[in-house]
Amino acid sequence: MRIARFAAGGDPQYGIVELAEDNGKHPQTVSVLTGDPIAMPVQLTGERFELDAVRLLAPVIPRSKIVAVGRNYAAHAAELGNEVPQTPLTFFKPNTSVIGPDESIVYPSASRELSFEGELAIVIGRICRDVPTDRVSDVIFGYTVANDVTARDLQRTDGQWSRAKGYDTFCPLGPWITTHQSVEEVSDLRIRTTLDGELKQDGRTRDMVFGIPEIVGYITSFTTLLPGDVILTGTPEGVSEMVPGQEVRVEIDGIGVLRNSVASSAPGDGGTA
């Protein structure tokens, strides 16, 4: 099932996306739900929109936090000259960094080296702490596509990553959340990132140093996760710079395609959207 958050001329709504490949009965539509399926029980309202007639939004706005895992692909760690960590290397991104499909990543005026990082994202579905690795599937609502945008020069000079990864627009998510997939089903998915159509990243989730059970178990050993929190699971090798005017496209098989353009910041605004 694909859960989307969208706008059809009014307030944001949630719905179930039906693609032509599903059953052929309602190709490319979204069926409206009564509320937020992460927060409450929902029902179909009976209203349906053509998918190309609505604007897809970020499928979730984390209520509290985004927890990301760095250097979780050995080849990516190596391309940046880093060692593979012995335990998951985690950091936080603010929920204000989230944007949706087809929204612009704003290139901050403070940076001269902006990179994309295509990633699989986990959406948490319930309050959880100290989750055993064999119970991780119980706390996952679904999965979506993410781009962990990074001001690489600021990451090097600051000595920590809050600013480099925390600017507004630095966490594109979308196009929807896929649910009812087991941890095993998402443990060997292909991730591809293209920049203006040129393939830059081409990896598989099976190459993660720490798998989904280990990641969720580790994060919940030190912090409580809330419904709607998002975990970014790391990026494969092939990260590179992007500049204003370019389009970055992250595709994960079985999940979806996330597209975003890069825009210049307004003069003197410090790079915020």
Side-chain angles (χ1 to χ4, degrees), residues 50-213:
E50 294 294 323
L51 191 58
D52 61 6
V54 305
R55 181 168 65 92
L56 291 178
L57 308 173
V60 58
I61 300 295
R63 290 164 173 79
S64 66
K65 56 192 171 295
I66 302 154
V67 189
V69 180
R71 303 175 191 170
N72 200 32
Y73 288 76
H76 169 60
E79 74 179 343
L80 296 182
N82 298 312
E83 298 291 331
V84 174
Q86 296 301 305
T87 57
L89 176 63
T90 58
F91 58 93
F92 293 99
K93 292 172 79 83
N95 56 9
T96 49
S97 66
V98 171
I99 58 172
D102 300 313
E103 292 189 74
S104 292
I105 298 164
V106 179
Y107 201 121
S109 58
S111 175
R112 296 295 180 269
E113 188 181 345
L114 195 67
S115 296
F116 55 78
E117 296 187 6
E119 309 196 9
L120 173 70
I122 302 166
V123 180
I124 296 299
R126 60 198 300 184
I127 299 173
C128 56
R129 176 72 194 272
D130 291 320
V131 180
T133 55
D134 61 352
R135 297 291 303 275
V136 161
S137 60
D138 295 345
V139 306
I140 294 175
F141 179 79
Y143 303 88
T144 191
V145 184
N147 186 347
D148 177 21
V149 179
T150 305
R152 195 71 64 195
D153 51 348
L154 304 185
Q155 185 182 31
R156 287 192 297 267
T157 60
D158 286 2
Q160 49 81 30
W161 301 356
S162 296
R163 182 168 67 131
K165 291 176 174 285
Y167 276 95
D168 291 358
T169 78
F170 271 26
C171 191
L173 296 175
W176 39 65
I177 302 169
T178 62
T179 64
H180 304 299
Q181 291 172 295
S182 68
V183 169
E184 291 73 23
E185 287 175 312
V186 299
S187 294
D188 188 18
L189 300 179
R190 188 180 183 189
I191 303 177
R192 286 163 287 178
T193 305
T194 60
L195 187 66
D196 285 346
E198 180 181 355
L199 183 64
K200 295 292 188 179
Q201 292 184 285
D202 192 356
R204 302 195 71 90
T205 55
R206 69 185 179 206
D207 295 325
M208 290 193 294
V209 176
F210 303 101
I212 292 169

